[in-house]
């Protein structure tokens, strides 16, 4: 059986500075000590064959470039966003909340942090699996709109 995966490119363009949510939470950037937590969460959450999980080297680069923000509880990463910026555009590569913390507002807190450190950006993009209803709900809440849909067979 071949599995079909439908991905949507979604974008949020925040026209006016006043539309940027304020980051009320302290922004936490991941460090080298968080690598093990990040890897564990990615391996438990994403499909290693189709979800473009970063390699260890890429993860190191994201950490050293301050491109991973996170929420910690008891010194353990419980949620994170990996992002890449180019000019006035920011691309979210991955949003992940540990299974035992889902439904507690962590993803919203992460998005608040993310937009809070990207007040100079005017365009925000990401890809997500349209069958992931939690992701769909989160991104719609943050004004992302589908701009392109792509299907691929794996």
């Amino acid at each position: 059986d071949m599995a079909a995966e439908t991905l949507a490119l979604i974008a949020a363009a925040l026209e006016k500075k006043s539309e940027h949510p304020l980051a009320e939470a302290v922004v936490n950037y991941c460090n080298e000590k968080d690598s093990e937590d990040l890897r564990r969460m990615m391996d438990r959450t994403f499909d290693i064959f189709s979800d473009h999980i970063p390699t260890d080297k890429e993860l190191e680069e994201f950490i050293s470039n301050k491109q991973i923000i996170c929420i910690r509880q008891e010194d353990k990463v419980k949620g994170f966003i990996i992002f890449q910026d180019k000019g006035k555009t920011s691309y979210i590569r991955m949003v992940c909340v540990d299974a035992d913390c889902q439904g507690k507002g962590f993803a919203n807190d992460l998005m608040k942090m993310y937009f809070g450190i990207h007040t100079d950006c005017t365009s925000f993009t990401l890809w997500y699996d349209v069958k992931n209803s939690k992701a769909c709900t989160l991104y719609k809440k943050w004004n992302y709109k589908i701009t392109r849909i792509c299907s691929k067979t794996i």
Side-chain angles (χ1 to χ4, degrees):
D1 274 350
M2 299 281 265
E5 182 179 65
T6 303
L7 301 174
L9 174 67
I10 60 177
L14 303 178
E15 297 298 321
K16 295 177 252 160
K17 291 270 187 229
S18 62
E19 291 183 57
H20 282 281
L22 297 173
E24 294 161 12
V26 173
V27 177
N28 296 306
Y29 290 96
C30 284
N31 57 54
E32 298 80 29
K33 290 181 271 180
D34 297 320
S35 295
E36 196 174 299
D37 288 342
L38 297 171
R39 179 63 58 209
R40 177 186 49 78
M41 289 173 61
M42 285 186 281
D43 290 347
R44 284 186 8 192
T45 306
F46 299 104
D47 182 323
I48 59 169
F49 298 109
S50 64
D51 283 331
H52 308 290
I53 297 173
T55 63
D56 289 342
K57 184 172 173 30
E58 285 175 310
L59 209 52
E60 279 177 34
E61 288 173 16
F62 288 136
I63 289 170
S64 68
N65 292 330
K66 293 200 176 299
Q67 293 174 309
I68 306 178
I69 54 175
C70 68
I71 291 178
R72 291 184 187 88
Q73 271 189 343
E74 298 166 8
D75 291 329
K76 293 280 186 203
V77 174
K78 294 297 184 174
F80 66 87
I81 293 178
I82 299 175
F83 61 90
Q84 294 173 284
D85 300 334
K86 186 171 183 178
K88 298 272 184 192
T89 298
S90 185
Y91 166 70
I92 291 180
R93 175 146 175 193
M94 184 173 279
V95 177
C96 185
V97 174
D98 216 0
D100 61 345
C101 294
Q102 291 182 4
K104 297 180 181 177
F106 282 34
N108 276 309
D109 289 346
L110 284 164
M111 293 299 284
K112 234 182 257 183
M113 266 191 248
Y114 171 73
F115 281 110
I117 61 173
H118 287 93
T119 55
D120 289 342
C121 288
T122 55
S123 178
F124 302 88
T125 60
L126 61 91
W127 287 95
Y128 78 103
D129 183 344
V130 296
K131 289 179 252 162
N132 183 340
S133 61
K134 287 180 185 175
C136 184
T137 301
L138 175 70
Y139 302 138
K140 279 183 181 172
K141 180 177 181 171
W142 288 93
N143 294 324
Y144 281 86
K145 309 263 185 284
I146 293 176
T147 58
R148 194 167 95 206
I149 293 199
C150 162
S151 291
K152 68 178 182 177
T153 303
I154 345 175

